[in-house]
Amino acid sequence: MTRRTKGIVDAITAVRPGVQEVMVRTGTNKTSDASGDTADISQRTSLRPAINLTELTGPLELGDHVEVNTVALDMELGTGGYDFVISVLNRAAFDRDPPGHIIKLRYTPLQTPVLAIEAPESDNHAAVASFATLGETPVVCFELHSQLPAICAALHWGMQECGRTARLVYIMTDGAALPIAVSRLVPALIERKMLASTITAGQAFGGDYEAVNVYSALAAAYSALGADAIVVGQGPGNVGTGTALGFSGVDQGIAANAAASLGGAPIFVPRISFSDERSRHVGLSHHTVTNLTSVVRTPTLLPIPRLPRLQLGRLYAALQEKGILKLHEAITIDAEKGLKALEECGMSVTTMGRGLSTERAFFLAAAAAGLLAAQLIEHRAPEGVR
């Protein structure tokens, strides 16, 4: 069921590539579902925050009449606190020449053509078609989007320490948010030159490049974009159900399998917390346990940040109890300098609303993965030799 309402663009509050954040003034306190039935939501304000994805609907102007999807706000879901603009009603539909023949958001009213990096019409088709192996390129696989900045900052710092630079490509999977434009972290990382480029895989869209799936995205990152390291993970909006397998973060395990099968060196970022109120996420998250025991079918590198003795002991006890130490290679890494690099770059990061001071172990784990990737790059062939 799609809940929707109509209104007028009252303000444009933020603009970044692919996204406008707007305030929509609705003329009624009722919404309608797809069948036309109305539901009273008089407790909602008539001035509603909304996101406009310009790649789908084109840019908005003040005074535009729009239709918005209201389901997330109406149901008080944790999807960012916004409605989403479906269409602009007072002018002709947004139109452009199709950039390519691959369709994303397939078989939905918003299906849209993209230029896939591996498609025959792409300038990169030949490079992807000739791909043979990742050549042990480090592939950092993470679960939560909030882990991305610490990975990138630590890797960037690690390369600076050894007097080198590295091209880091981010592949966003389609397990959570589909438009990469809703991420505030990605543009900040690109601006700071910690990310060279982005690929949106599967039904995700809006990256610098599009790919049909994670496997072809990995091939393209290496053979077409010259990646020295690759990070793979969801966009914003992780979904969980409190069950072992019912969470969108299984994408992390799938990415590790893909990296290994294509000849890469998968690095698995553990989800660690000593501040989460949910017992299943305290210490080593049950999501990490599920991925490493039931999803990942290949040995991976598992960076564990150096933590206070009791916390580190608790983590290794869990790894031992779950049999993870027999399956994967756990490496304890002092990640403090990597995390300091994130703190000094001026980015504000949180996970589940908690910042660096509260969730230090969480971000240290991500920084440890970035440092490990930098070490692997340093010990590979000299820069430019593939």
Side-chain angles (χ1 to χ4, degrees):
M1 181 182 72
T2 300
R3 298 175 68 93
R4 58 186 67 190
T5 192
K6 297 175 182 178
I8 298 173
V9 177
D10 188 82
I12 299 173
T13 56
V15 178
R16 58 185 183 275
V19 159
Q20 291 173 303
E21 295 181 17
V22 302
M23 299 299 295
V24 175
R25 186 173 296 280
T26 59
T28 176
N29 283 336
K30 295 181 181 296
T31 59
S32 63
D33 59 25
S35 67
D37 295 333
T38 61
D40 186 1
I41 56 163
S42 57
Q43 71 273 21
R44 303 294 188 197
T45 176
S46 60
L47 196 61
R48 303 173 65 98
I51 283 179
N52 179 50
L53 300 170
T54 56
E55 190 170 344
L56 299 180
T57 53
L60 292 175
E61 299 175 0
L62 292 177
D64 275 342
H65 291 249
V66 293
E67 185 174 29
V68 294
N69 181 317
T70 67
V71 69
L73 273 180
D74 290 353
M75 294 181 64
E76 299 181 351
L77 300 177
T79 52
Y82 293 90
D83 294 333
F84 283 83
V85 175
I86 299 172
S87 61
V88 185
L89 304 174
N90 58 295
R91 47 192 165 88
F94 174 61
D95 196 14
R96 60 174 180 168
D97 292 333
H101 82 283
I102 300 299
I103 301 294
K104 293 203 173 185
L105 305 182
R106 290 188 287 274
Y107 300 96
T108 75
L110 295 178
Q111 63 180 358
T112 187
V114 301
L115 176 61
I117 192 169
E118 67 269 52
E121 63 267 31
S122 168
D123 292 340
N124 295 294
H125 173 75
V128 181
S130 64
F131 169 81
T133 175
L134 289 173
E136 298 186 354
T137 297
V139 180
V140 182
C141 308
F142 65 92
E143 180 189 349
L144 296 182
H145 195 65
S146 52
Q147 293 169 317
L148 181 61
I151 297 168
C152 296
L155 189 150
H156 183 69
W157 178 85
M159 297 309 299
Q160 286 182 325
E161 285 296 292
C162 60
R164 289 183 56 183
T165 60
R167 285 185 57 80
L168 182 59
V169 174
Y170 169 43
I171 297 172
M172 191 181 97
T173 65
D174 58 7
L178 297 184
I180 198 171
V182 301
S183 171
R184 292 182 174 88
L185 300 178
V186 167
L189 290 167
I190 291 174
E191 179 184 355
R192 289 164 173 79
K193 302 187 185 305
M194 294 182 189
L195 277 179
S197 56
T198 61
I199 302 176
T200 36
Q203 295 303 305
F205 65 94
D208 297 322
Y209 301 90
E210 307 283 357
V212 173
N213 57 57
V214 169
Y215 288 80
S216 61
L218 286 166
Y222 181 79
S223 61
L225 305 183
D228 297 297
I230 305 168
V231 282
V232 187
Q234 302 178 96
N238 181 60
V239 172
T241 63
T243 63
L245 293 170
F247 67 106
S248 54
V250 294
D251 275 14
Q252 183 183 15
I254 294 169
N257 290 332
S261 69
L262 295 179
I267 300 172
F268 192 98
V269 183
R271 179 173 172 179
I272 297 169
S273 175
F274 293 95
S275 300
D276 202 305
E277 295 180 353
R278 298 164 295 179
S279 61
R280 62 185 182 273
H281 290 303
V282 175
L284 192 68
S285 170
H286 76 126
H287 287 177
T288 293
V289 172
T290 294
N291 263 319
L292 290 176
T293 58
S294 299
V295 181
V296 179
R297 310 316 297 164
T298 183
T300 65
L301 298 174
L302 181 64
I304 302 295
R306 184 168 295 162
L307 296 169
R309 183 173 59 86
L310 291 178
Q311 292 182 350
L312 190 60
R314 179 173 179 176
L315 288 177
Y316 271 95
L319 293 171
Q320 179 70 40
E321 177 189 351
K322 300 297 182 181
I324 293 172
L325 294 179
K326 294 181 179 180
L327 300 171
H328 307 285
E329 184 178 355
I331 305 171
T332 303
I333 295 176
D334 184 350
E336 289 291 344
K337 290 184 178 178
L339 191 58
K340 184 179 180 182
L342 174 62
E343 294 174 308
E344 291 179 346
C345 80
M347 287 186 65
S348 176
V349 294
T350 61
T351 181
M352 308 297 174
R354 299 184 294 272
L356 287 174
S357 60
T358 305
E359 283 285 11
R360 194 163 188 84
F362 174 88
F363 292 106
L364 276 171
L371 292 177
L372 180 55
Q375 292 175 23
L376 294 183
I377 296 170
E378 172 63 10
H379 287 90
R380 290 175 67 227
E383 191 170 11
V385 178
R386 309 221 22 118

